[in-house]
Amino acid sequence: MNWIKNFVRPKFERVFRNKDNAPDDLWVNCTACGEMIFHRDIEHLAKVCPGCDHHMRLTSAERFAQLFDNGDYKTIETPDVPIDPLKFRDQKKYTDRLKEARNKTGEKDAVCIGVGKLAGVETVIVVQDFSFMGGSLGMAAGETVMRGGELALEKNAPFIVVAAAGGARMQEGILSLMQLPRTTVIVQKLRDRGLPYIVILTDPTTGGVTASYGMLGDIHIAEPGALIGFAGPRVIQDTINEKLPEGFQRAEYLLEHGMIDMVVHRHHLAKTCGQLIHLLTGNMASAPNPAT
């Protein structure tokens, strides 16, 4: 006689029957400390670990919802560009990699545009999603940043870029590198118009993005602990054959050495951006109250 079947099982029968239908994403592991966090809690915390305060990566939609007032915004269709102009293939075809990334993220490419109110001011925000091929900068991403800047010019609105990238997209070769000078053109147009351009540097922001529009903002904000630089620390250390300082290329180190303007916790990011927008547009009278 099996006492588990006869005596215990009836109390847990429903659990046993539904185990195949139970969601497998109820708990999220912090990528830094490994703490288990309930999925509803992690959403409420904007993917910031309550244990170690590690800022996990967000999708484009999560970024927009966090920054825009009441999470209310509309997305703008991103421009179409030639797909796989170099017919590139490494371990698999570039077109296959694009298809996989699109299925995974639900986005056309690594960069998306959103328009809505931020602290009551119509604002254009461009977000890079690291989960789409490492947020790599290719023709589509460059064209989207350009379109976002042009939209800000059309609407006479502040422009915010949330950067997250592992570098240029190697599958597009020189066409990817051409996005570096192209995106600086739209930044200069915004500057000539006197429109605020704010860059939010998230983990990681490296390579071509750091070498172009990622470091041309009026204000540079970084999330705590974000890795920011051109080449990665391991590459630098191997090149100069010297041990790097503790925290090298992390947001706090760069703030201390004058490379960025501020490090802002994700929970205060929208409020800080709103205050900066009002400050840069000379409209401090209607800026959000820091005490609220």
Side-chain angles (χ1 to χ4, degrees), residues 105-135:
T105 63
E107 304 292 351
K108 282 176 60 177
D109 210 272
V111 183
C112 298
I113 307 171
V115 178
K117 296 285 184 69
L118 200 168
V121 178
E122 187 174 36
T123 305
V124 179
I125 301 180
V126 162
V127 175
Q128 281 183 279
D129 188 346
F130 191 80
S131 61
F132 193 108
M133 295 186 69

Side-chain angles (χ1 to χ4, degrees), residues 66-67 69 118-119 264-278 287-292:
Q66 178 218 357
L67 291 172
D69 295 348
L118 200 168
V264 178
H265 195 283
R266 185 175 293 165
H267 295 166
H268 307 300
L269 200 52
K271 183 186 291 185
T272 300
C273 288
Q275 291 169 347
L276 288 171
I277 285 172
H278 284 277
N289 188 341
T292 59

